[in-house]
Amino acid sequence: EISRRVAAWSPAAVQMGKRAFQPCTDSDFQSATRLMGQVMALNSATDDARNGIAAFLKGERPEWVGR
């Protein structure tokens, strides 16, 4: 069930999250929070983020492009 849900998410967002996860587990809270803020900012600038927001506003499912 979990893998099916993750597979429906933006590939770009999943990849960014996976890359950021390990460094966060080895960091103090402030460093991890700072890193995740940077990752969120990068993620919000992707084509997938724009597609996701547009689809949400239209009440449609997003079409992920992986960028």
Side-chain angles (χ1 to χ4, degrees), residues 2-43:
I2 292 174
S3 59
R4 223 181 340 217
R5 289 177 63 189
V6 172
W9 297 344
S10 158
V14 172
Q15 183 180 28
M16 285 183 190
K18 286 171 62 176
R19 284 187 180 159
F21 180 76
Q22 187 60 46
C24 285
T25 62
D26 297 332
S27 299
D28 61 276
F29 180 78
Q30 286 182 324
S31 297
T33 303
R34 188 171 34 256
L35 174 61
M36 292 313 297
Q38 293 168 347
V39 170
M40 289 175 65
L42 290 172
N43 186 29

